[in-house]
Amino acid sequence: MKPANPEKSRYPKPDFVELFTPKLITVLREGYGLAQLRADAIAGLTVAIVALPLSMAIAIASGATPAQGLYTAIIGGILVSLLGGSRFQIGGPAGAFIVLVAATVQAHGMDGLLLATIMAGVLLVLIGLFRLGTYIKFIPYPVTVGFTAGIAFIIFASQIKDLLGLDLGGPEPGPFLEKLPVIWAALPSMDIATVMLSGSTILVIVGLKYVRPHWPGMLIAVVGAALITAVFDLPVATIGSIYGGIPSSFPMPSLPDIDFAKAQAVLPNAIAFALLGAIESLLSAVVADGMTGRRHRSNCELVAQGVANVASGLFGGICVTGTIARTATNVRSKAHGPIAGILHGVFLLLFILIAAPLAGFIPLACLAGLLATVAWNMIEKHAIVTLLRSSRGDAAVLLTTLLLTVFRDLLEAIVVGFALGSVLFIRRMSRMADIESATPFVAEDRADNQVVLMASDPVSAGDPDIVVYRISGVFFFGATAAFGSVLDRIGDTRRALVVDFSAVPFLDSTAANTLASLVQKVRSRGGLIVFSGTKHDIRRDLFVHGMKPPAIHYEADVEQAVKWLGEKLGTLRD
């Protein structure tokens, strides 16, 4: 009798120690010398240059001090890399948390924020230890795109005051609809010097991105703005004038005031921190995997994120999570492993100990311009257009999540978006019974909605370089994690891949996005990939997500796909 899942018998289930061994240990076991240390030092310094102004800007926008942003980047950078399950993850403060952190500070004060951060860290550790990280991947793609775009919109709105140098005559309202009339009424107080500084910052960052993409545009813009402000003694708000500068020392750990009533009050904030932190960190780890071909350990990563958040709260920092932009910078800087992230934290610590007084000259308008570019880059423009064109259901989930994030609450947006995505999936499944006509008269027993991925024997394909994978069942957001983990195990010697869709009645946008990542990975390695057996509706969805010829070759069945690949490989060998 054949096993139900050949992958399980081929790859034994790892034990607890293997699942929670930090990637740092893995890298050191592989061998680590001066060449690897040099690569990690260069990458760590590069990431620190990016993180320095960004951490201060995110903290200020969150209602904290710039020093707290640096403490968070140092603690997060060191502990996430020291204990995490990703080789390249960079931890620190993230723009996605600005809305939640600012609301928490406004409602519960700084002590409430620190307590919520520590509680969120404990929750993340528990989520990781109970191996619940895999379920985070079940959140549909339109939900993540929607709430990310909504957060970016709120971040930009929160920076209008500092971008224009407005005098609001009182505290700035938090909710978006309350903020707009206050900002509109304050427009006559616009300061020209502030507008020129913020506008110049945006132009420098965007311009260098296109003209000199390898230069640290954010740092150059911040240093230039600080020099202009100091030399010409511009009458604009700076870190020194508002916050008194940055201390030249690192704080000692201490517990915030804790009592049962306060813990109960900040529990919803802690849950929101933990949920968003888990989503952001695992998305960042997936991005790093796609860029490098490596594979992270989700639950180990969440435990590290939890420990980093507990430590950040004890040292007076804010929420820590995996940061996509800094992680991508780490990968592009040719980092070898987690030591690059540790060194990035060390370099930031050295800045505090040696050069902290210089930060007092940085104008807030410059940091607002920096965050405006971050907000723009957070919006996945191509993904939004693709989802709006894909189907009315995906568009509804996307727009609902985005609007709820902007006008209501982030946690509510995620829950409602997930629920709506699930309802739409059930509705689609109820309509599939009459659509699928190629189903066998008597099928083998299988769990409800189970997706089975079976690798055919590569020898039977007639060429050891060709491997065939057949997907059977509905391919939706709940099955993409299993699909990705199976395909990640394809041997490096396999030069060609066939993915057969003949037994797939339906796929959603999350599944299509996973396939697009697979195609990019295979093509980046110089491999060939063919989709076979795609029905009209499935092929249409794949085309919408960019998987068109000649990037992807399509055949009617597996036999023709294998024959086409055999001819291609034969030509390449000749």
Side-chain angles (χ1 to χ4, degrees):
M1 181 180 294
K2 294 183 179 180
N5 191 344
E7 292 294 327
K8 288 186 178 180
S9 60
R10 193 179 307 166
Y11 303 97
K13 187 176 181 179
D15 59 25
F16 181 88
V17 174
E18 291 174 325
L19 283 176
F20 290 94
T21 299
K23 284 290 185 178
L24 176 62
I25 303 299
T26 304
V27 169
L28 294 179
R29 285 173 178 171
E30 294 171 353
Y32 196 85
L34 288 177
Q36 290 80 15
L37 178 60
R38 181 176 180 273
D40 282 338
I42 294 173
L45 179 59
T46 303
V47 176
I49 289 172
V50 174
L52 178 62
L54 200 55
S55 300
M56 292 188 289
I58 290 171
I60 291 172
S62 301
T65 66
Q68 288 179 280
L70 291 176
Y71 300 156
T72 307
I74 293 168
I75 295 294
I78 293 175
L79 289 181
V80 168
S81 296
L82 190 68
L83 304 174
S86 171
R87 284 176 177 255
F88 306 102
Q89 182 85 282
I90 299 295
F97 276 86
I98 289 176
V99 178
L100 289 177
V101 173
T104 303
V105 172
Q106 189 174 27
H108 305 289
M110 189 54 65
D111 274 350
L113 170 64
L114 298 180
L115 179 58
T117 301
I118 294 172
M119 292 171 62
V122 174
L123 290 174
L124 283 169
V125 170
L126 293 176
I127 290 172
L129 290 178
F130 284 103
R131 305 185 189 185
L132 302 177
T134 306
Y135 296 98
I136 301 296
K137 299 176 183 177
F138 285 10
I139 296 178
Y141 182 56
V143 174
T144 60
V145 174
F147 79 70
T148 302
I151 290 171
F153 194 81
I154 295 176
I155 289 174
F156 180 80
S158 70
Q159 297 307 300
I160 295 176
K161 170 182 173 291
D162 289 331
L163 283 170
L164 304 180
L166 302 179
D167 181 9
L168 301 184
E172 182 177 359
F176 179 73
L177 290 179
E178 297 177 17
K179 187 194 305 282
L180 283 182
V182 174
I183 290 177
W184 180 261
L187 283 179
S189 66
M190 183 187 306
D191 180 68
I192 298 300
T194 301
V195 173
M196 292 180 66
L197 274 177
S198 58
S200 299
T201 300
I202 295 173
L203 288 176
V204 169
I205 294 173
V206 175
L208 286 179
K209 181 179 179 181
Y210 289 99
V211 179
R212 293 288 186 270
H214 297 294
W215 288 15
M218 291 184 178
L219 184 65
I220 291 173
V222 170
V223 171
L227 286 173
I228 292 172
T229 302
V231 170
F232 294 98
D233 194 22
L234 296 180
V236 296
T238 64
I239 288 179
S241 66
I242 302 298
Y243 299 98
I246 294 176
S248 298
S249 60
F250 200 74
M252 295 299 292
S254 62
L255 279 170
D257 293 335
I258 300 176
D259 59 69
F260 181 76
K262 180 174 285 187
Q264 190 175 23
V266 301
L267 179 59
N269 304 82
I271 294 173
F273 288 167
L275 179 59
L276 182 58
I279 295 171
E280 284 290 309
S281 60
L282 294 187
L283 280 177
S284 179
V286 168
V287 169
D289 289 350
M291 296 176 69
T292 62
R294 301 284 187 173
R295 189 162 178 245
H296 72 281
R297 290 191 281 270
S298 300
N299 295 304
C300 179
E301 182 64 28
L302 292 181
V303 169
Q305 297 285 340
V307 172
N309 273 280
V310 172
S312 180
L314 293 176
F315 281 92
I318 59 177
C319 297
V320 173
T321 189
T323 56
I324 296 176
R326 275 159 274 173
T327 298
T329 300
N330 191 38
V331 173
R332 286 194 292 265
S333 300
K334 310 297 182 185
H336 178 74
I339 290 178
I342 296 173
L343 291 176
H344 133 268
V346 172
F347 288 132
L348 290 174
L349 177 60
L350 291 175
F351 170 80
I352 286 182
L353 298 178
I354 298 172
L358 299 177
F361 296 102
I362 298 175
L364 298 187
C366 170
L367 296 181
L370 186 153
L371 280 181
T373 62
V374 169
W376 174 255
N377 292 330
M378 282 178 64
I379 302 174
E380 300 177 64
K381 278 78 70 175
H382 175 73
I384 290 175
V385 172
T386 299
L387 289 170
L388 291 176
R389 293 170 52 196
S390 178
S391 69
R392 285 180 294 179
D394 288 333
V397 174
L398 168 69
L399 294 175
T400 299
T401 306
L402 191 157
L403 293 174
L404 285 175
T405 301
V406 174
F407 296 107
R408 290 285 297 176
D409 175 74
L410 177 61
L411 187 58
E412 181 179 330
I414 294 175
V415 171
V416 172
F418 180 82
L420 182 58
S422 301
V423 169
L424 289 172
F425 168 72
I426 294 171
R427 177 177 176 271
R428 287 167 173 170
M429 286 303 303
S430 69
R431 299 172 59 189
M432 291 309 302
D434 295 328
I435 297 176
E436 178 57 47
S437 60
T439 304
F441 182 73
V442 178
E444 295 182 1
D445 288 345
R446 184 176 299 157
D448 293 339
N449 297 332
Q450 178 186 2
V451 172
V452 180
L453 298 100
M454 300 171 291
S456 69
D457 183 0
V459 176
S460 67
D463 193 318
D465 285 334
I466 302 175
V467 62
V468 178
Y469 273 84
R470 294 185 175 91
I471 308 175
S472 179
V474 176
F475 191 18
F476 71 115
F477 61 86
T480 53
F483 179 80
S485 65
V486 170
L487 290 174
D488 277 340
R489 299 187 181 120
I490 297 174
D492 292 336
T493 58
R494 304 298 164 81
R495 301 174 58 190
L497 173 66
V498 177
V499 181
D500 182 47
F501 294 84
S502 57
V504 178
F506 161 76
L507 61 80
D508 69 358
S509 58
T510 307
N513 185 63
T514 301
L515 288 167
S517 300
L518 166 67
V519 171
Q520 183 179 4
K521 182 182 294 186
V522 172
R523 287 175 57 82
S524 67
R525 293 177 176 177
L528 299 172
I529 183 167
V530 179
F531 289 168
S532 67
T534 54
K535 301 172 181 61
H536 174 75
D537 290 343
I538 291 178
R539 186 176 296 200
R540 181 198 63 198
D541 291 339
L542 294 174
F543 278 17
V544 167
H545 284 80
M547 286 168 278
K548 303 178 182 178
I552 293 292
H553 186 75
Y554 288 84
E555 289 290 353
D557 53 45
V558 173
E559 289 73 16
Q560 294 183 39
V562 170
K563 180 180 178 182
W564 184 85
L565 284 174
E567 294 173 353
K568 281 288 184 181
L569 291 174
T571 302
L572 292 175
R573 293 186 184 114
D574 295 339

